[in-house]
């Protein structure tokens, strides 16, 4: 049963069914298994949780870990599959960086976004496929189309606040710009973050592994944003 959080009215019935069958004189078949998926919800019956093996899937903490997961999920075949390898590899890195940035900015509260949004790996997967399709179908890199589809539809499409929409567009324009194809182009003033030179998948993973701990600069924020972040984390822990 998938997405149980969308059927909260059924959950008490499910709880009763499971209780009835667990107390039946005739035991349940030994090969019977019930798999449930759900977003966190207070409506989920505690008794089911207590009798279940629970698995949680959360995005990795930190920009580098987020990006490393993206590039560990990419196979060598997929990485080398585009007919425009230089543009594809550079923009794929820019896309992964952008995805990590918008997810990590949420940790900074209203400094990051006015409203916290739930971007998921599916948004990244769709954007990856579209990136390859548009590169294959056009002789030149269709910058405007990529920014519109990925920025406006896939990511900003989830955003309800107009200032947050503007922020998302602004962030993507930094990573989806002709300058990213140059090795000298950096994402931050310090020059720490950049799209590495076109090479093997392993070389990209090694570069990501060498990145330092997250800093507000990586997310386009002022260094004082760390103070806000630390205060929020401390308050949450105390509560």
């Amino acid at each position: 049963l998938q997405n149980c959080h969308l059927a909260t009215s059924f959950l008490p019935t499910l709880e009763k069914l499971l209780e009835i069958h667990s107390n039946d004189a005739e035991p349940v078949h030994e090969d019977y298994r019930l798999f449930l998926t759900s977003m966190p919800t207070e409506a989920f019956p505690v008794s089911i949780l207590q009798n279940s093996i629970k698995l949680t899937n959360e995005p990795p903490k930190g920009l580098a870990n987020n990006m490393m997961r993206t590039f560990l999920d990419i196979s060598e075949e997929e990485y080398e599959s585009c007919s425009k390898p230089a543009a594809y590899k550079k923009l794929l890195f820019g896309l992964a960086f952008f995805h990590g940035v918008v997810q990590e900015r949420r940790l900074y509260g209203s400094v990051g976004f006015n409203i916290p949004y739930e971007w998921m790996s599916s948004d990244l997967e769709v954007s990856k496929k579209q990136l390859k399709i548009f590169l294959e179908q056009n002789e030149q890199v269709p910058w405007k189309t990529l920014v519109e589809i990925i920025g406006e539809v896939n990511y900003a499409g989830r955003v309800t606040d107009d200032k947050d929409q503007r922020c998302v567009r602004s962030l993507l324009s930094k990573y989806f710009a002709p300058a990213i194809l140059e090795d000298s182009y950096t994402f931050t003033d310090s020059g720490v973050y950049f799209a590495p030179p076109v090479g093997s998948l392993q070389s990209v993973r090694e570069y990501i592994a060498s990145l330092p701990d997250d800093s507000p600069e990586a997310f386009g924020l002022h260094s004082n944003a760390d103070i806000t972040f630390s205060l929020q984390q401390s308050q949450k822990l105390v509560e």
Side-chain angles (χ1 to χ4, degrees), residues 1 6 9 14 50-51 55-56 72 79 87 93-94 112 129 149 156-157 162 173 194 196 215 220 235:
L1 302 176
L6 300 178
S9 61
L14 175 64
Q50 290 173 336
N51 290 299
L55 300 174
T56 60
L72 286 175
Y79 194 64
F93 187 90
K129 291 176 181 177
I149 294 294
D162 63 322
S173 67
F194 55 87
S215 67
Q235 186 65 35

Side-chain angles (χ1 to χ4, degrees), residues 184-201:
S184 58
Y185 181 69
T186 61
F187 298 153
T188 58
D189 293 337
S190 67
V192 173
Y193 299 94
F194 55 87
V198 176
S200 67
L201 180 58

Side-chain angles (χ1 to χ4, degrees), residues 17-194:
L17 285 170
L18 293 176
E19 186 177 345
I20 290 169
H21 289 302
S22 64
N23 294 325
D24 275 352
E26 198 170 312
V28 177
H29 194 283
E30 61 178 10
D31 291 334
Y32 174 76
R33 299 290 186 273
L34 176 62
F35 290 87
L36 307 170
T37 70
S38 174
M39 293 285 282
T41 171
E42 293 181 0
F44 205 93
V46 175
S47 64
I48 297 179
L49 288 173
Q50 290 173 336
N51 290 299
S52 302
I53 296 173
K54 293 174 286 295
L55 300 174
T56 60
N57 184 15
E58 297 180 354
K61 295 285 189 287
L63 179 60
N65 290 332
N66 196 304
M67 293 182 64
M68 183 62 80
R69 177 172 174 175
T70 298
F71 280 92
L72 286 175
D73 288 342
I74 296 174
S75 65
E76 196 79 43
E77 183 182 5
E78 179 185 355
Y79 194 64
E80 302 291 346
S81 63
C82 186
S83 61
K84 298 181 180 67
Y88 178 65
K89 291 177 180 180
K90 285 280 190 177
L91 288 172
L92 183 60
F93 187 90
L95 176 61
F97 197 91
F98 168 73
H99 181 75
V101 165
V102 294
Q103 285 196 315
E104 293 301 314
R105 275 182 72 110
R106 292 178 304 180
L107 301 177
Y108 289 84
S110 59
V111 177
F113 290 110
N114 290 329
I115 302 170
Y117 303 98
E118 291 295 330
W119 286 291
M120 296 179 287
S121 57
S122 58
D123 298 314
L124 176 62
E125 288 301 316
V126 169
S127 298
K128 278 164 52 181
K129 291 176 181 177
Q130 290 172 336
L131 171 62
K132 184 178 176 183
I133 289 170
F134 283 116
L135 286 177
E136 295 284 9
Q137 290 180 348
N138 296 273
E139 290 186 14
Q140 302 296 325
V141 178
W143 299 104
K144 187 175 181 181
T145 303
L146 288 172
V147 170
E148 286 290 324
I149 294 294
I150 295 174
E152 295 289 341
V153 179
N154 297 355
Y155 282 87
R158 290 183 180 272
V159 179
T160 53
D161 184 88
D162 63 322
K163 302 300 186 297
D164 287 341
Q165 289 177 343
R166 183 178 176 183
C167 180
V168 169
R169 289 195 295 267
S170 179
L171 287 169
L172 185 61
S173 67
K174 188 185 296 184
Y175 315 121
F176 271 48
I180 196 176
L181 302 180
E182 305 294 331
D183 289 342
S184 58
Y185 181 69
T186 61
F187 298 153
T188 58
D189 293 337
S190 67
V192 173
Y193 299 94
F194 55 87

Side-chain angles (χ1 to χ4, degrees), residues 205-218:
R205 291 171 179 167
E206 289 172 359
Y207 165 68
I208 295 172
S210 71
L211 290 175
D213 291 338
D214 291 349
S215 67
E217 180 194 40

